[in-house]
Amino acid sequence: MEQVFLIVGLGNPGRDYARTRHNAGFLLLDRLAEGWRVEWAARKKFNARVARADRDGRRVFLCEPATYMNASGEAVSALMKFHKVPTPHLLVVVDDADLPLGTLRLRPEGSSGGHHGLESVERHLGTRAYARLRIGIGRRAADQREITDWVLAPIRKEEAPVLEKVLQTGCQQIECWLSAGIHEAMNRFNGVVTIDEN
């Protein structure tokens, strides 16, 4: 029987948010879809952009909710129910201001850490036991708790090379998660990405 997986990138729809730090999940999913050469389609039924890929006998759905961040769980829950995706086959990709820029951290479960997108997913699924890949975006000051302006600001030019490496490595980590499982993907890719100097 074919295995079904769902990979969700969290972000906000629309041109105004396209290259903001809060849309790191969308940026990684866009890169993954490009590498897999699959096309996005707007699916009103799920209030999301969805793409389908077949990877080594696995049916993989990519999802970018169009609900805005704080209601992301609506689309995630609807897709999981419709395609009968078991919770261990769900991966949510999300930005994290508590991790330095350039950091990737995959975990099999955990708290939302105050991230409203993860809070929505948790609320709609009724569990924290789903995999999440956090992409570090840093914060302007370590002790600053109000970060709305920071996460919704465009990625700066000097941050672009680090982000590019993060997207490349994040795609590799997701491929590893699919083929070898979460623990192998954590061991191989969690941490700070290194930028080639030459």
Side-chain angles (χ1 to χ4, degrees):
M1 186 174 175
E2 188 179 43
Q3 292 185 303
V4 184
F5 291 78
L6 175 62
I7 303 170
V8 181
L10 299 190
N12 287 310
R15 189 175 300 172
D16 290 346
Y17 299 103
R19 291 283 296 176
T20 61
R21 296 179 184 89
H22 215 24
N23 271 34
F26 277 13
L27 293 173
L28 184 48
L29 266 284
D30 287 344
R31 181 62 59 89
L32 196 62
E34 180 183 344
W36 288 356
R37 295 179 179 169
V38 293
E39 296 291 327
W40 291 104
R43 300 293 303 274
K44 289 184 180 179
K45 179 177 190 173
F46 305 115
N47 202 1
R49 289 204 320 157
V50 179
R52 174 183 166 166
D54 294 299
R55 309 291 298 177
D56 300 323
R58 299 172 181 86
R59 192 186 339 158
V60 184
F61 291 96
L62 306 181
C63 167
E64 293 180 353
T67 55
Y68 288 94
M69 184 69 81
N70 296 2
S72 299
E74 296 173 13
V76 176
S77 176
L79 271 160
M80 288 185 72
K81 287 175 183 173
F82 185 82
H83 292 295
K84 298 179 172 60
V85 180
T87 306
H89 289 187
L90 169 67
L91 173 62
V92 177
V93 184
V94 62
D95 65 291
D96 190 330
D98 290 324
L99 294 176
L101 179 68
T103 307
L104 289 167
R105 182 178 292 168
L106 176 65
R107 290 284 185 268
E109 58 183 77
S111 73
S112 67
H115 193 288
H116 297 315
L118 291 179
E119 288 173 355
S120 177
V121 173
E122 180 183 324
R123 189 165 58 250
H124 281 84
L125 298 186
T127 182
R128 293 179 171 181
Y130 61 89
R132 69 281 313 274
L133 174 56
R134 296 178 181 270
I135 301 173
I137 60 169
R139 62 174 71 227
R140 195 177 290 115
D143 60 349
Q144 183 182 6
R145 296 316 303 169
E146 178 48 56
I147 58 171
T148 302
D149 290 346
W150 174 255
V151 300
L152 293 180
I155 294 157
R156 295 184 303 219
K157 186 177 180 180
E158 61 268 26
E159 296 172 319
V162 178
L163 178 65
E164 176 63 27
K165 186 65 175 179
V166 165
L167 296 180
Q168 290 175 13
T169 308
C171 287
Q172 294 169 358
Q173 188 166 27
I174 290 174
E175 296 253 15
C176 185
W177 172 74
L178 280 171
S179 62
I182 191 164
H183 295 293
E184 180 69 15
M186 288 166 57
N187 291 338
R188 284 182 57 188
F189 295 98
N190 275 1
V192 180
V193 301
T194 55
I195 306 296
D196 297 328
E197 297 297 332
N198 49 7

